Amino acid sequence: MALAVLLTAVGTATQASAGSVQHSVTKGKVSIETVVQFGDNVQPVTIEENSPINIARVIQIGGTGTVDATIIQNGTRNYANVIQMGGTTNAVIGQSGVSNTAEITQIGNSTNTLLLQIGDMNSGAVRQFGRFNWLAIFQFSR
């Protein structure tokens, strides 16, 4: 049902409008946060999760401006996924836990990613499609 509402909102949005859907759930030892933004004036997103199991997903479809996402996760198992489209895309992900997974996809004129993972099992995938791409990955074991 939520997906149908999102698809309807995306379909009816005009080029100058901006839309946003955010959903957060923390129950017991699991924290899940999802943010979806679209339009010319998307706002910077910051997610901080401190549960044993953390899941964060950010989807930003912007115009020609800057699109920013920051995810900080401290827990046993951390998963982060960022998909960005815009003139300039910036993603910062910091994860500390036993098992860390991050996936970033960026499409824009300038794409920038900083990924820091501290844990025993770190996995990171970054896909950048742009004229100017910058990427730094730091993975440390405990």
Side-chain angles (χ1 to χ4, degrees):
M1 172 110 167
L3 181 60
V5 172
L6 174 63
L7 292 175
T8 302
V10 170
T12 60
T14 63
Q15 187 69 3
S17 70
S20 180
V21 176
Q22 182 170 351
H23 186 68
S24 301
V25 175
T26 300
K27 184 165 179 145
K29 298 180 179 187
V30 179
S31 177
I32 301 171
E33 186 152 356
T34 301
V35 178
V36 178
Q37 296 180 325
F38 53 91
D40 282 342
N41 299 311
V42 298
Q43 297 301 307
V45 172
T46 300
I47 295 174
E48 185 170 345
E49 298 176 309
N50 294 298
S51 296
I53 299 172
N54 299 305
I55 301 168
R57 173 171 242 185
V58 176
I59 301 171
Q60 296 174 303
I61 311 298
T64 58
T66 300
V67 179
D68 295 306
T70 302
I71 298 173
I72 306 297
Q73 296 174 315
N74 295 298
T76 305
R77 299 189 194 301
N78 302 304
Y79 173 77
N81 178 266
V82 175
I83 300 171
Q84 297 176 313
M85 295 174 66
T88 298
T89 60
N90 301 308
V92 175
I93 297 177
Q95 297 174 313
S96 177
V98 175
S99 175
N100 302 305
T101 302
E103 298 175 356
I104 301 106
T105 301
Q106 298 175 309
I107 302 170
N109 187 52
S110 175
T111 62
N112 307 290
T113 294
L114 172 61
L115 174 58
L116 169 63
Q117 295 175 313
I118 301 170
D120 292 333
M121 295 181 287
N122 299 313
S123 173
V126 179
R127 293 167 290 280
Q128 295 177 313
F129 304 94
R131 290 183 60 202
F132 306 101
N133 303 312
W134 181 84
L135 167 64
I137 298 176
F138 300 96
Q139 295 175 314
F140 303 100
S141 64
R142 291 179 175 247

